[in-house]
Amino acid sequence: MLRNLTRTKQSVLRLSTRSLATTSIPTTQKAIIFDKNNGPLEYKDIPVPKPKPNEILINVKYSGVCHTDLHAWKGDWPLPTKLPLVGGHEGAGVVVALGDEVKNFKIGDLAGIKWLNGSCQSCEYCVNGFESNCAQADLSGYTHDGSFQQYATADAVQAAKIPQGTDLAGVSPILCAGITVYKALKTAHLKAGDIVAISGAGGGLGSLAVQYAKAMGYRVLAIDGGKEKGELVKSLGAEFYVDYQSSPDLIEEIQSKTKGGPHGVINVSVSDKAISQSTKFVRSTGSVVLVGLPPNAVVHSDVFNHVIKSISIKGSYVGNRADTREAIEFFTRGLVKSPIKVVGLSELPGVYELMEQGKILGRYVVDTSK
Ligand code: 8ID
Ligand code: ZN
């Protein structure tokens, strides 16, 4: 029904940026926007944003739907969102306008909207390549309107460079899920041949984590619930699958399959129970990496176990610009594929429902033209 709504008006806006003499940009566009957390997700016409001098304007073609977008809409994290808000932070599209200060993009380039839309570039964290930890971090689909709209702005320094010819629907989940799991795997400090457990392996982050882990030379034990998720992760290269919904003793099963526990664990589930369990089944001297962000979660690690097994627990938060470039290169080289299902932008509320119920296999991607 919503698909049949009339197309965006093509009235032309002339912005005062140097690039626009050659580009026609509509004044309004379709977006999914909400006024309050948990409030109605409205599919409607809103104005096309104007890029600031440091920004590019991207005509977003596709956007992945991350579980973080659901957290943002619900407002269940201890960090307020801007309101009203256009969510989305896995947007892939074409550069259609450049702010006056932009030097690193040109019209027609392919570019990506990432979670980190912009940062100060001069604090201790930014200069050391930890720009996601910048106190002034501006977040797409959270503090800055994101990619669930046809035109979105991004700081040119942080926007992802996507090579010409790249499949834009397929690359979109790499822009958060891919970068994040690639960085998390680096954070686990594993070596080729080590076993890494991916907890939440059948979801958006997990299905990419399985593939990055394989491409990086690790053996993968995947954990998720149900037969279909088991089939998916095995098709992506997992050597073992443990079903948390039916395993009689998850810790025992993992330790026996891996002969003593995995060397690292990447926690991408949205379950605090699963996170605490991972401190028990990880191998001695192994690393537990925290990525998934269940609301109000606390990780419980038995101190005796923690010390005697000499394990480490580390947080990992998206990735920096180098991680972005590298993660995209794994995709463009064909080493990881995005297990996606494409639906219209107007269908986003239904995607959130499926996600809430844990029924999504891989990633849903929205096509902003529908
Ligand atoms: O930078 C970061 N740290 C970062 C970046 C991006 C996303 C963190 N995240 C966070 C999201 O905000 C979210 O909290 O990572 C989490 C996972 O995001 P996602 O992959 O986009 O979610 P999903 O597609 O819903 O997948 C979650 C999977 O976890 C499984 C589900 O079945 C689903 O496949 N799962 C659950 I829920 N409970 C489980 C359990 N007990 C479980 N798998 C194993 N054991
Ligand atoms: Zn995300």
Side-chain angles (χ1 to χ4, degrees), residues 34-282:
F34 58 89
D35 287 332
K36 56 177 194 242
N37 295 115
N38 266 314
L41 290 158
E42 290 185 78
Y43 179 60
K44 66 177 189 188
D45 287 331
I46 65 164
V48 169
K50 293 181 189 183
K52 294 197 191 109
N54 60 311
E55 290 180 333
I56 54 175
L57 181 67
I58 301 174
N59 175 203
V60 179
K61 302 291 186 192
Y62 295 96
S63 177
V65 183
C66 179
H67 207 113
T68 295
D69 299 314
L70 181 58
H71 293 297
W73 172 58
K74 289 161 92 178
D76 63 16
W77 285 348
L79 178 68
T81 62
K82 85 174 262 298
L83 288 170
L85 179 68
V86 175
H89 58 275
E90 290 185 346
V94 183
V95 177
V96 292
L98 308 168
D100 285 337
E101 294 166 7
V102 174
K103 296 189 181 74
N104 58 336
F105 278 98
K106 57 184 191 319
I107 304 291
D109 282 351
L110 302 184
I113 308 267
K114 310 185 282 117
W115 173 247
L116 187 67
N117 193 288
S119 67
C120 83
Q121 299 297 344
S122 63
C123 72
E124 171 192 341
Y125 304 108
C126 284
V127 297
N128 284 307
F130 295 104
E131 55 252 39
S132 32
N133 303 105
C134 172
Q136 290 176 51
D138 189 20
L139 310 173
S140 303
Y142 209 92
T143 57
H144 188 118
D145 282 340
S147 52
F148 297 150
Q149 56 183 339
Q150 293 171 316
Y151 292 87
T153 52
D155 180 289
V157 172
Q158 281 296 341
K161 295 245 172 195
I162 300 176
Q164 285 295 346
T166 304
D167 163 22
L168 290 180
V171 79
S172 63
I174 305 299
L175 298 168
C176 170
I179 296 167
T180 300
V181 299
Y182 174 59
K183 175 59 163 243
L185 284 159
K186 283 184 174 179
T187 302
H189 293 300
L190 300 166
K191 61 183 192 312
D194 281 354
I195 304 176
V196 62
I198 312 291
S199 176
L205 268 62
S207 56
L208 288 169
V210 170
Q211 299 175 75
Y212 277 98
K214 269 217 83 178
M216 291 161 87
Y218 313 140
R219 299 168 65 193
V220 176
L221 178 133
I223 312 164
D224 211 306
K227 201 161 159 271
E228 275 186 297
K229 295 208 178 175
E231 281 160 12
L232 172 69
V233 296
K234 289 218 160 158
S235 75
L236 299 174
E239 189 173 330
F240 314 99
Y241 177 60
V242 175
D243 186 336
Y244 81 93
Q245 290 167 346
S246 63
S247 176
D249 184 341
L250 183 113
I251 293 165
E252 202 284 318
E253 185 179 345
I254 293 172
Q255 289 192 321
S256 94
K257 281 196 156 98
T258 55
K259 299 189 171 57
H263 302 82
V265 188
I266 309 297
N267 280 290
V268 289
S269 77
V270 194
S271 158
D272 49 356
K273 183 176 171 203
I275 295 168
S276 293
Q277 281 174 328
S278 71
T279 65
K280 297 212 168 75
F281 63 66
V282 69

